[in-house]
Amino acid sequence: MAAVPTPPPVSWNGHVDTPTEGPAPTDADEATETAGATEVTEVAESEAEAAAAREYKGRVIARSGLLLRDRPTRSSRVIGTAAYGQIVHIFCKTRGDNVNGNDRWYLLTDGNWAWGSAAYIENIGQPPRWC
């Protein structure tokens, strides 16, 4: 007795489903995919440059170092220090207690978030945005 072949699968609409492969990719298709990847990379790079442009930095100019506080006030708890000459990353600025005629305080993002008096931080580049 001979083996009976298995019939091809039938789709929901009654047509026989036969495996088909699309046309083989051409060099033009691959060029389009590469161009798309290049555009995505360029967008990511420009977004990274924009983020870097928004990054604010400063240099500590207090000879004895800068006390970092949990609020923008002179009486708030000290949570760290920054050494003279240290470069700090600034997130934003706000008004707080007056220190040597300067009421601006910077929210620093180096490790812990802490406030430092702007009287003791020299801006590198443009001044930070307001909080």
Side-chain angles (χ1 to χ4, degrees):
M1 187 181 240
V4 177
T6 306
V10 177
S11 70
W12 63 270
N13 63 5
H15 292 98
V16 174
D17 286 335
T18 56
T20 59
E21 293 183 17
T26 65
D27 289 339
D29 293 334
E30 290 176 11
T32 301
E33 289 176 14
T34 303
T38 302
E39 289 173 12
V40 169
T41 302
E42 288 173 358
V43 168
E45 287 174 358
S46 67
E47 288 176 0
E49 289 171 5
R54 289 188 303 266
E55 184 176 292
Y56 306 107
K57 293 181 183 179
R59 178 178 291 110
V60 175
I61 58 173
R63 293 273 180 199
S64 59
L66 175 64
L67 297 177
L68 304 177
R69 300 183 178 272
D70 65 351
R71 297 163 83 184
T73 63
R74 296 175 74 174
S75 61
S76 62
R77 185 170 58 100
V78 175
I79 58 174
T81 60
Y84 173 76
Q86 180 178 339
I87 303 298
V88 292
H89 294 86
I90 304 167
F91 183 72
C92 62
K93 66 183 173 186
T94 193
R95 284 189 163 76
D97 283 355
N98 191 312
V99 178
N100 296 337
N102 188 337
D103 69 347
R104 302 228 172 106
W105 288 71
Y106 294 153
L107 180 56
L108 307 178
T109 62
D110 297 308
N112 294 324
W113 291 68
W115 292 95
S117 172
Y120 298 114
I121 301 173
E122 176 182 67
N123 291 328
I124 297 174
Q126 68 184 96
R129 65 187 174 91
W130 289 96
C131 297

PDB file of all heavy atoms in Angstrom, residues 53-68:
ATOM      1  N   ALA A  53      24.295  70.813  25.460  1.00  0.00           N
ATOM      2  CA  ALA A  53      24.224  72.271  25.463  1.00  0.00           C
ATOM      3  C   ALA A  53      23.419  72.766  26.664  1.00  0.00           C
ATOM      4  O   ALA A  53      23.659  73.853  27.159  1.00  0.00           O
ATOM      5  CB  ALA A  53      23.609  72.775  24.167  1.00  0.00           C
ATOM      6  N   ARG A  54      22.461  71.972  27.136  1.00  0.00           N
ATOM      7  CA  ARG A  54      21.653  72.349  28.290  1.00  0.00           C
ATOM      8  C   ARG A  54      22.335  71.984  29.607  1.00  0.00           C
ATOM      9  O   ARG A  54      21.824  72.272  30.667  1.00  0.00           O
ATOM     10  CB  ARG A  54      20.288  71.664  28.231  1.00  0.00           C
ATOM     11  CG  ARG A  54      19.379  72.221  27.149  1.00  0.00           C
ATOM     12  CD  ARG A  54      17.988  71.639  27.255  1.00  0.00           C
ATOM     13  NE  ARG A  54      17.970  70.189  27.196  1.00  0.00           N
ATOM     14  CZ  ARG A  54      17.790  69.462  26.109  1.00  0.00           C
ATOM     15  NH1 ARG A  54      17.617  70.046  24.957  1.00  0.00           N
ATOM     16  NH2 ARG A  54      17.763  68.147  26.161  1.00  0.00           N
ATOM     17  N   GLU A  55      23.464  71.318  29.537  1.00  0.00           N
ATOM     18  CA  GLU A  55      24.180  70.936  30.745  1.00  0.00           C
ATOM     19  C   GLU A  55      24.947  72.148  31.244  1.00  0.00           C
ATOM     20  O   GLU A  55      25.745  72.736  30.527  1.00  0.00           O
ATOM     21  CB  GLU A  55      25.133  69.787  30.438  1.00  0.00           C
ATOM     22  CG  GLU A  55      25.844  69.282  31.660  1.00  0.00           C
ATOM     23  CD  GLU A  55      26.707  68.085  31.348  1.00  0.00           C
ATOM     24  OE1 GLU A  55      26.167  67.029  31.028  1.00  0.00           O
ATOM     25  OE2 GLU A  55      27.940  68.248  31.419  1.00  0.00           O
ATOM     26  N   TYR A  56      24.681  72.523  32.475  1.00  0.00           N
ATOM     27  CA  TYR A  56      25.330  73.696  33.049  1.00  0.00           C
ATOM     28  C   TYR A  56      26.409  73.230  34.015  1.00  0.00           C
ATOM     29  O   TYR A  56      26.226  72.276  34.757  1.00  0.00           O
ATOM     30  CB  TYR A  56      24.299  74.549  33.780  1.00  0.00           C
ATOM     31  CG  TYR A  56      23.122  74.912  32.924  1.00  0.00           C
ATOM     32  CD1 TYR A  56      21.886  74.316  33.122  1.00  0.00           C
ATOM     33  CD2 TYR A  56      23.247  75.844  31.900  1.00  0.00           C
ATOM     34  CE1 TYR A  56      20.799  74.644  32.328  1.00  0.00           C
ATOM     35  CE2 TYR A  56      22.168  76.171  31.096  1.00  0.00           C
ATOM     36  CZ  TYR A  56      20.945  75.571  31.318  1.00  0.00           C
ATOM     37  OH  TYR A  56      19.873  75.884  30.532  1.00  0.00           O
ATOM     38  N   LYS A  57      27.530  73.948  33.987  1.00  0.00           N
ATOM     39  CA  LYS A  57      28.647  73.609  34.850  1.00  0.00           C
ATOM     40  C   LYS A  57      29.151  74.858  35.549  1.00  0.00           C
ATOM     41  O   LYS A  57      28.938  75.977  35.087  1.00  0.00           O
ATOM     42  CB  LYS A  57      29.791  72.993  34.036  1.00  0.00           C
ATOM     43  CG  LYS A  57      29.465  71.653  33.444  1.00  0.00           C
ATOM     44  CD  LYS A  57      30.649  71.109  32.682  1.00  0.00           C
ATOM     45  CE  LYS A  57      30.304  69.794  32.023  1.00  0.00           C
ATOM     46  NZ  LYS A  57      31.445  69.259  31.268  1.00  0.00           N
ATOM     47  N   GLY A  58      29.828  74.624  36.653  1.00  0.00           N
ATOM     48  CA  GLY A  58      30.445  75.713  37.391  1.00  0.00           C
ATOM     49  C   GLY A  58      31.706  75.228  38.072  1.00  0.00           C
ATOM     50  O   GLY A  58      31.949  74.030  38.175  1.00  0.00           O
ATOM     51  N   ARG A  59      32.513  76.187  38.538  1.00  0.00           N
ATOM     52  CA  ARG A  59      33.749  75.875  39.250  1.00  0.00           C
ATOM     53  C   ARG A  59      33.634  76.486  40.643  1.00  0.00           C
ATOM     54  O   ARG A  59      33.279  77.660  40.789  1.00  0.00           O
ATOM     55  CB  ARG A  59      34.943  76.462  38.516  1.00  0.00           C
ATOM     56  CG  ARG A  59      36.273  76.227  39.217  1.00  0.00           C
ATOM     57  CD  ARG A  59      37.460  76.780  38.424  1.00  0.00           C
ATOM     58  NE  ARG A  59      37.649  75.974  37.216  1.00  0.00           N
ATOM     59  CZ  ARG A  59      37.405  76.402  35.972  1.00  0.00           C
ATOM     60  NH1 ARG A  59      36.958  77.618  35.758  1.00  0.00           N
ATOM     61  NH2 ARG A  59      37.621  75.620  34.944  1.00  0.00           N
ATOM     62  N   VAL A  60      33.954  75.700  41.658  1.00  0.00           N
ATOM     63  CA  VAL A  60      33.898  76.177  43.043  1.00  0.00           C
ATOM     64  C   VAL A  60      35.038  77.170  43.254  1.00  0.00           C
ATOM     65  O   VAL A  60      36.206  76.860  42.976  1.00  0.00           O
ATOM     66  CB  VAL A  60      34.012  74.993  44.035  1.00  0.00           C
ATOM     67  CG1 VAL A  60      34.076  75.496  45.469  1.00  0.00           C
ATOM     68  CG2 VAL A  60      32.845  74.037  43.852  1.00  0.00           C
ATOM     69  N   ILE A  61      34.682  78.378  43.750  1.00  0.00           N
ATOM     70  CA  ILE A  61      35.690  79.416  43.963  1.00  0.00           C
ATOM     71  C   ILE A  61      35.866  79.747  45.444  1.00  0.00           C
ATOM     72  O   ILE A  61      36.623  80.655  45.779  1.00  0.00           O
ATOM     73  CB  ILE A  61      35.358  80.689  43.146  1.00  0.00           C
ATOM     74  CG1 ILE A  61      33.987  81.236  43.510  1.00  0.00           C
ATOM     75  CG2 ILE A  61      35.478  80.404  41.658  1.00  0.00           C
ATOM     76  CD1 ILE A  61      33.661  82.579  42.865  1.00  0.00           C
ATOM     77  N   ALA A  62      35.213  79.020  46.324  1.00  0.00           N
ATOM     78  CA  ALA A  62      35.401  79.207  47.765  1.00  0.00           C
ATOM     79  C   ALA A  62      36.710  78.543  48.162  1.00  0.00           C
ATOM     80  O   ALA A  62      36.873  77.332  48.004  1.00  0.00           O
ATOM     81  CB  ALA A  62      34.236  78.604  48.531  1.00  0.00           C
ATOM     82  N   ARG A  63      37.666  79.327  48.669  1.00  0.00           N
ATOM     83  CA  ARG A  63      39.008  78.797  48.990  1.00  0.00           C
ATOM     84  C   ARG A  63      38.960  77.652  49.999  1.00  0.00           C
ATOM     85  O   ARG A  63      39.734  76.715  49.913  1.00  0.00           O
ATOM     86  CB  ARG A  63      39.893  79.906  49.550  1.00  0.00           C
ATOM     87  CG  ARG A  63      40.212  80.961  48.535  1.00  0.00           C
ATOM     88  CD  ARG A  63      41.415  80.565  47.748  1.00  0.00           C
ATOM     89  NE  ARG A  63      41.707  81.597  46.764  1.00  0.00           N
ATOM     90  CZ  ARG A  63      42.440  81.381  45.726  1.00  0.00           C
ATOM     91  NH1 ARG A  63      42.959  80.194  45.516  1.00  0.00           N
ATOM     92  NH2 ARG A  63      42.673  82.337  44.875  1.00  0.00           N
ATOM     93  N   SER A  64      38.043  77.716  50.936  1.00  0.00           N
ATOM     94  CA  SER A  64      37.954  76.658  51.950  1.00  0.00           C
ATOM     95  C   SER A  64      37.004  75.541  51.531  1.00  0.00           C
ATOM     96  O   SER A  64      36.745  74.627  52.298  1.00  0.00           O
ATOM     97  CB  SER A  64      37.504  77.253  53.284  1.00  0.00           C
ATOM     98  OG  SER A  64      36.238  77.873  53.128  1.00  0.00           O
ATOM     99  N   GLY A  65      36.479  75.611  50.309  1.00  0.00           N
ATOM    100  CA  GLY A  65      35.524  74.613  49.825  1.00  0.00           C
ATOM    101  C   GLY A  65      34.102  75.113  50.001  1.00  0.00           C
ATOM    102  O   GLY A  65      33.852  76.102  50.675  1.00  0.00           O
ATOM    103  N   LEU A  66      33.187  74.434  49.376  1.00  0.00           N
ATOM    104  CA  LEU A  66      31.779  74.832  49.371  1.00  0.00           C
ATOM    105  C   LEU A  66      30.951  73.832  50.161  1.00  0.00           C
ATOM    106  O   LEU A  66      31.039  72.620  49.925  1.00  0.00           O
ATOM    107  CB  LEU A  66      31.274  74.889  47.918  1.00  0.00           C
ATOM    108  CG  LEU A  66      29.799  75.174  47.694  1.00  0.00           C
ATOM    109  CD1 LEU A  66      29.442  76.581  48.191  1.00  0.00           C
ATOM    110  CD2 LEU A  66      29.454  75.027  46.220  1.00  0.00           C
ATOM    111  N   LEU A  67      30.148  74.346  51.095  1.00  0.00           N
ATOM    112  CA  LEU A  67      29.235  73.480  51.826  1.00  0.00           C
ATOM    113  C   LEU A  67      27.997  73.247  50.963  1.00  0.00           C
ATOM    114  O   LEU A  67      27.404  74.198  50.438  1.00  0.00           O
ATOM    115  CB  LEU A  67      28.827  74.122  53.154  1.00  0.00           C
ATOM    116  CG  LEU A  67      29.957  74.357  54.157  1.00  0.00           C
ATOM    117  CD1 LEU A  67      29.425  75.056  55.398  1.00  0.00           C
ATOM    118  CD2 LEU A  67      30.631  73.049  54.518  1.00  0.00           C
ATOM    119  N   LEU A  68      27.614  71.985  50.820  1.00  0.00           N
ATOM    120  CA  LEU A  68      26.429  71.622  50.036  1.00  0.00           C
ATOM    121  C   LEU A  68      25.298  71.337  51.008  1.00  0.00           C
ATOM    122  O   LEU A  68      25.476  70.600  51.979  1.00  0.00           O
ATOM    123  CB  LEU A  68      26.730  70.403  49.166  1.00  0.00           C
ATOM    124  CG  LEU A  68      27.933  70.566  48.227  1.00  0.00           C
ATOM    125  CD1 LEU A  68      28.178  69.278  47.458  1.00  0.00           C
ATOM    126  CD2 LEU A  68      27.732  71.738  47.292  1.00  0.00           C
TER     127      LEU A  68
END
